[in-house]
Amino acid sequence: MQSVNTLSLVQGYWRAFLGAGDTCIDATAGNGHDAVALCEIVGPEGRVIAFDVQPLAVARTRARLLDAQLQAEVICASHTEMADYAAPESVAGIVFNLGYLPGGDHGLATQPQTTCVAIDVGLALLKPGGMMTLCIYHGGDTGFAERDAVLAHLRTLDHRRYTVIVSDFYNRPNHPPLAVLIIKEKI
């Protein structure tokens, strides 16, 4: 049995909500692990678009996809620009990993202002019944400002349109990342 952690939780959500032929967005491509997992879920008839502002992350993601013999669009741009690449209510799933690029410059990290904008942009792209996940890495050198801003922002989402679930590993030390699931309700 796999140990329960933030990634296993959000990946379980992906498998529950996403399927073959879906369109998905990896809003923070990083090292490409999520893009690969999404490609495997949606299959060759699906579409995965991955974003990152760091050329190193784009290169790593492209290399990981090539090694796995999978196809995705990998774009060196901010996640706030997702709407330039997908139509409103056309996306089944959007995933975020907040914080810094593992193995990269810890001084470069996602920021509360752009993350909250990107969440709103993404919510407009989600089709009814679609989902968004966020892994909020908030300890150490990434600080707590982004966590606090994102959680405050999520609290303002209309409960009739969105269900927001925040999972906290309450008894684990060292500020474990939070797993967030947002479901766009079918109204």
Side-chain angles (χ1 to χ4, degrees):
M1 177 175 179
Q2 182 181 7
S3 67
V4 177
N5 59 39
T6 304
L7 290 175
S8 68
L9 278 179
V10 297
Q11 289 173 353
Y13 297 144
W14 303 348
R15 288 187 296 276
F17 282 87
L18 305 174
D22 280 337
T23 295
C24 295
I25 293 175
D26 180 353
T28 51
N31 287 317
H33 297 288
D34 293 349
V36 166
L38 292 171
C39 285
E40 291 171 348
I41 292 169
V42 304
E45 61 277 2
R47 180 181 181 209
V48 173
I49 312 163
F51 294 88
D52 210 293
V53 296
Q54 295 185 65
L56 176 60
V58 169
R60 287 178 178 175
T61 298
R62 287 181 176 149
R64 181 155 273 115
L65 288 161
L66 184 64
D67 286 347
Q69 299 179 334
L70 295 167
Q71 295 288 323
E73 299 166 58
V74 184
I75 300 161
C76 190
S78 170
H79 49 260
T80 61
E81 299 176 38
M82 290 184 281
D84 293 342
Y85 299 88
E89 297 196 340
S90 67
V91 177
I94 301 173
V95 304
F96 288 81
N97 281 305
L98 305 181
Y100 56 81
L101 174 66
D105 181 354
H106 289 204
L108 299 173
T110 54
Q111 298 297 312
Q113 304 84 353
T114 54
T115 296
C116 290
V117 169
I119 288 169
D120 289 343
V121 168
L123 292 175
L125 298 178
L126 281 182
K127 62 185 183 179
M131 64 96 225
M132 178 184 290
T133 61
L134 299 100
C135 294
I136 304 176
Y137 294 87
H138 60 274
D141 48 10
T142 61
F144 299 94
E146 186 172 37
R147 177 203 63 191
D148 295 345
V150 167
L151 292 177
H153 184 67
L154 296 179
R155 190 170 292 284
T156 69
L157 297 180
D158 182 348
H159 70 276
R160 294 168 297 224
R161 296 191 66 213
Y162 303 101
T163 297
V164 179
I165 300 167
V166 179
S167 299
D168 185 359
F169 291 87
Y170 204 63
N171 67 336
R172 292 191 183 167
N174 301 321
H175 312 291
L178 301 175
V180 177
L181 170 64
I182 306 167
I183 303 163
K184 187 171 191 174
E185 298 297 339
K186 297 178 183 179
I187 298 177

